[in-house]
Amino acid sequence: MLTKEQWLKRKRRKRGFRLLVLTTVVMLIIVSAAYIGLSVISFNSPMLTGIFQKKITLESPIILKDLLTPNDYSRPQTPLPKVNSIVIHYTANPGTSAEANRNYFENLKTTKTTSASSHFIVGLEGEIIQCIPLNEVAFASNDRNSDTISIESCHPDKTGKFNDITYQSLVQLTAWLCAKYDLKREDIIRHYDVSGKHCPIYYVEHEDAWEQFKNDVMAYMKENATK
């Protein structure tokens, strides 16, 4: 025959066991419901994109920093608070080098003929010169100066078409910047898309080539993402 103390101890053990079973059942129901809910949601949906999509990281291309001297006409040192797009330009000076175009921007501090500059210039031999720091505004893209990075590219003739080595460097640089700022295909734009100016002229006159350029940038990002 059980004593009162033994009876109370046995009762507490049974109550604890029932509580454990109930808690386990509730947890299984919650986990099952969550799994079923996730299984019916597309993993491409905006709800899950932020959870499962990792930011792409790319190795930086070789960049020669030759920053412009601070001045009111080409490097005002105005802070660039955010980057929403990469703007593609062309130099409009057939056969000229990246260095020559960089020096043109530099000399504006003396000539004071206009306000102009670009963050980067890609040359005829694929060289990339950086003229403006990425945290500063360049005078390149009209009313989009305040939220864009600009790239000028050199070209051999008046068609404005970039040669192969310039093109490859432009693709690599644009892809690196897109990865750095977590930008998408639609965030790559032409100067033409901002102001209506026929710049870069080849991509304004050849929409198919422009679409191919953006495709090549996206393909480069996918193929060269750092593991």
Side-chain angles (χ1 to χ4, degrees):
M1 185 172 179
L2 297 176
T3 65
K4 183 178 181 180
E5 183 179 346
Q6 290 172 328
W7 180 81
L8 289 173
K9 186 181 293 186
R10 179 178 291 183
K11 187 176 181 179
R12 284 196 294 269
R13 283 201 299 268
K14 288 182 178 179
R15 184 183 300 166
F17 178 75
R18 285 197 297 268
L19 182 60
L20 177 62
V21 171
L22 179 61
T23 302
T24 302
V25 171
V26 170
M27 290 300 297
L28 286 173
I29 292 172
I30 292 173
V31 170
S32 299
Y35 178 80
I36 293 170
L38 286 175
S39 68
V40 299
I41 300 174
S42 167
F43 280 85
N44 292 322
S45 71
M47 184 184 299
L48 296 181
T49 298
I51 299 175
F52 295 100
Q53 184 177 16
K54 294 182 178 180
K55 182 177 179 180
I56 293 175
T57 302
L58 293 181
E59 183 178 349
S60 171
I62 297 174
I63 297 172
L64 172 62
K65 285 191 176 182
D66 194 3
L67 301 180
L68 304 178
T69 304
N71 70 92
D72 292 337
Y73 292 87
S74 56
R75 188 187 167 190
Q77 293 187 293
T78 303
L80 181 63
K82 58 185 176 180
V83 176
N84 292 327
S85 296
I86 308 300
V87 187
I88 307 301
H89 304 252
Y90 85 132
T91 61
N93 296 311
T96 58
S97 66
E99 183 180 7
N101 283 279
R102 181 265 170 204
N103 291 340
Y104 167 75
F105 293 146
E106 175 71 15
N107 290 334
L108 289 176
K109 70 180 187 294
T110 302
T111 63
K112 302 179 180 180
T113 53
T114 189
S115 295
S117 57
S118 184
H119 288 92
F120 297 96
I121 306 173
V122 182
L124 294 171
E125 297 180 359
E127 71 276 22
I128 301 172
I129 296 179
Q130 183 176 0
C131 303
I132 303 289
L134 293 178
N135 61 354
E136 295 181 17
V137 163
F139 288 143
S141 304
N142 304 83
D143 60 357
R144 292 296 305 276
N145 287 337
S146 62
D147 74 331
T148 59
I149 296 293
S150 53
I151 307 174
E152 294 268 3
S153 291
C154 300
H155 49 99
D157 56 49
K158 65 181 181 180
T159 67
K161 184 178 181 180
F162 308 134
N163 65 32
D164 288 344
I165 192 168
T166 299
Y167 183 84
Q168 293 304 321
S169 287
L170 178 59
V171 167
Q172 184 180 7
L173 176 60
T174 304
W176 175 67
L177 290 169
C178 284
K180 180 178 178 65
Y181 293 104
D182 200 19
L183 301 178
K184 301 177 178 60
R185 186 180 188 277
E186 60 266 27
D187 300 320
I188 306 169
I189 61 177
R190 302 164 294 185
H191 191 184
Y192 172 78
D193 300 316
V194 177
S195 68
K197 180 179 179 180
H198 280 213
C199 172
I201 191 169
Y202 188 79
Y203 288 151
V204 174
E205 295 180 348
H206 299 82
E207 287 282 349
D208 56 335
W210 172 241
E211 295 301 319
Q212 185 60 54
F213 169 73
K214 291 186 287 184
N215 289 343
D216 289 344
V217 170
M218 293 297 104
Y220 184 94
M221 292 178 68
K222 182 177 180 181
E223 293 168 6
N224 294 277
T226 302
K227 303 297 184 182

